[in-house]
PDB file of all heavy atoms in Angstrom:
ATOM      1  N   LYS A 863     -19.375  10.634   8.062  1.00  0.00           N
ATOM      2  CA  LYS A 863     -17.958  10.743   7.665  1.00  0.00           C
ATOM      3  C   LYS A 863     -17.651  12.214   7.373  1.00  0.00           C
ATOM      4  O   LYS A 863     -18.091  12.750   6.354  1.00  0.00           O
ATOM      5  CB  LYS A 863     -17.656   9.890   6.421  1.00  0.00           C
ATOM      6  CG  LYS A 863     -18.022   8.421   6.558  1.00  0.00           C
ATOM      7  CD  LYS A 863     -17.291   7.717   7.689  1.00  0.00           C
ATOM      8  CE  LYS A 863     -18.203   6.664   8.295  1.00  0.00           C
ATOM      9  NZ  LYS A 863     -17.818   6.163   9.568  1.00  0.00           N
ATOM     10  N   THR A 864     -16.910  12.841   8.276  1.00  0.00           N
ATOM     11  CA  THR A 864     -16.638  14.278   8.144  1.00  0.00           C
ATOM     12  C   THR A 864     -15.136  14.558   8.039  1.00  0.00           C
ATOM     13  O   THR A 864     -14.306  13.746   8.453  1.00  0.00           O
ATOM     14  CB  THR A 864     -17.199  15.055   9.355  1.00  0.00           C
ATOM     15  OG1 THR A 864     -16.420  14.719  10.521  1.00  0.00           O
ATOM     16  CG2 THR A 864     -18.663  14.718   9.613  1.00  0.00           C
ATOM     17  N   TRP A 865     -14.815  15.747   7.502  1.00  0.00           N
ATOM     18  CA  TRP A 865     -13.414  16.182   7.392  1.00  0.00           C
ATOM     19  C   TRP A 865     -12.785  16.324   8.771  1.00  0.00           C
ATOM     20  O   TRP A 865     -11.642  15.936   8.992  1.00  0.00           O
ATOM     21  CB  TRP A 865     -13.326  17.517   6.648  1.00  0.00           C
ATOM     22  CG  TRP A 865     -13.555  17.369   5.181  1.00  0.00           C
ATOM     23  CD1 TRP A 865     -14.616  17.843   4.453  1.00  0.00           C
ATOM     24  CD2 TRP A 865     -12.701  16.705   4.230  1.00  0.00           C
ATOM     25  NE1 TRP A 865     -14.486  17.500   3.131  1.00  0.00           N
ATOM     26  CE2 TRP A 865     -13.321  16.810   2.966  1.00  0.00           C
ATOM     27  CE3 TRP A 865     -11.489  16.007   4.349  1.00  0.00           C
ATOM     28  CZ2 TRP A 865     -12.759  16.252   1.817  1.00  0.00           C
ATOM     29  CZ3 TRP A 865     -10.934  15.458   3.199  1.00  0.00           C
ATOM     30  CH2 TRP A 865     -11.565  15.586   1.954  1.00  0.00           C
ATOM     31  N   GLU A 866     -13.559  16.897   9.688  1.00  0.00           N
ATOM     32  CA  GLU A 866     -13.057  17.097  11.051  1.00  0.00           C
ATOM     33  C   GLU A 866     -12.677  15.761  11.685  1.00  0.00           C
ATOM     34  O   GLU A 866     -11.622  15.633  12.303  1.00  0.00           O
ATOM     35  CB  GLU A 866     -14.116  17.807  11.906  1.00  0.00           C
ATOM     36  CG  GLU A 866     -14.286  19.280  11.593  1.00  0.00           C
ATOM     37  CD  GLU A 866     -15.201  19.546  10.393  1.00  0.00           C
ATOM     38  OE1 GLU A 866     -15.555  18.590   9.672  1.00  0.00           O
ATOM     39  OE2 GLU A 866     -15.565  20.716  10.178  1.00  0.00           O
ATOM     40  N   GLY A 867     -13.558  14.766  11.505  1.00  0.00           N
ATOM     41  CA  GLY A 867     -13.303  13.436  12.049  1.00  0.00           C
ATOM     42  C   GLY A 867     -12.077  12.804  11.414  1.00  0.00           C
ATOM     43  O   GLY A 867     -11.233  12.240  12.103  1.00  0.00           O
ATOM     44  N   LEU A 868     -11.986  12.944  10.101  1.00  0.00           N
ATOM     45  CA  LEU A 868     -10.862  12.362   9.356  1.00  0.00           C
ATOM     46  C   LEU A 868      -9.523  12.969   9.792  1.00  0.00           C
ATOM     47  O   LEU A 868      -8.580  12.247  10.116  1.00  0.00           O
ATOM     48  CB  LEU A 868     -11.079  12.588   7.851  1.00  0.00           C
ATOM     49  CG  LEU A 868      -9.965  12.127   6.911  1.00  0.00           C
ATOM     50  CD1 LEU A 868      -9.795  10.616   6.951  1.00  0.00           C
ATOM     51  CD2 LEU A 868     -10.251  12.571   5.471  1.00  0.00           C
ATOM     52  N   ILE A 869      -9.477  14.304   9.817  1.00  0.00           N
ATOM     53  CA  ILE A 869      -8.227  14.984  10.163  1.00  0.00           C
ATOM     54  C   ILE A 869      -7.827  14.717  11.620  1.00  0.00           C
ATOM     55  O   ILE A 869      -6.674  14.390  11.914  1.00  0.00           O
ATOM     56  CB  ILE A 869      -8.343  16.503   9.882  1.00  0.00           C
ATOM     57  CG1 ILE A 869      -8.476  16.731   8.371  1.00  0.00           C
ATOM     58  CG2 ILE A 869      -7.138  17.271  10.433  1.00  0.00           C
ATOM     59  CD1 ILE A 869      -8.986  18.110   7.965  1.00  0.00           C
ATOM     60  N   ALA A 870      -8.803  14.805  12.525  1.00  0.00           N
ATOM     61  CA  ALA A 870      -8.520  14.543  13.943  1.00  0.00           C
ATOM     62  C   ALA A 870      -8.053  13.099  14.136  1.00  0.00           C
ATOM     63  O   ALA A 870      -7.102  12.844  14.878  1.00  0.00           O
ATOM     64  CB  ALA A 870      -9.762  14.819  14.784  1.00  0.00           C
ATOM     65  N   GLY A 871      -8.699  12.168  13.447  1.00  0.00           N
ATOM     66  CA  GLY A 871      -8.357  10.752  13.578  1.00  0.00           C
ATOM     67  C   GLY A 871      -6.956  10.443  13.065  1.00  0.00           C
ATOM     68  O   GLY A 871      -6.173   9.791  13.758  1.00  0.00           O
ATOM     69  N   VAL A 872      -6.641  10.924  11.875  1.00  0.00           N
ATOM     70  CA  VAL A 872      -5.304  10.677  11.306  1.00  0.00           C
ATOM     71  C   VAL A 872      -4.248  11.371  12.180  1.00  0.00           C
ATOM     72  O   VAL A 872      -3.209  10.794  12.495  1.00  0.00           O
ATOM     73  CB  VAL A 872      -5.210  11.174   9.839  1.00  0.00           C
ATOM     74  CG1 VAL A 872      -3.785  11.025   9.319  1.00  0.00           C
ATOM     75  CG2 VAL A 872      -6.163  10.387   8.944  1.00  0.00           C
ATOM     76  N   GLY A 873      -4.555  12.591  12.604  1.00  0.00           N
ATOM     77  CA  GLY A 873      -3.615  13.358  13.423  1.00  0.00           C
ATOM     78  C   GLY A 873      -3.338  12.695  14.761  1.00  0.00           C
ATOM     79  O   GLY A 873      -2.180  12.466  15.113  1.00  0.00           O
TER      80      GLY A 873
END
Side-chain angles (χ1 to χ4, degrees):
K863 304 300 146 196
T864 69
W865 286 113
E866 286 83 350
L868 176 65
I869 294 164
V872 175

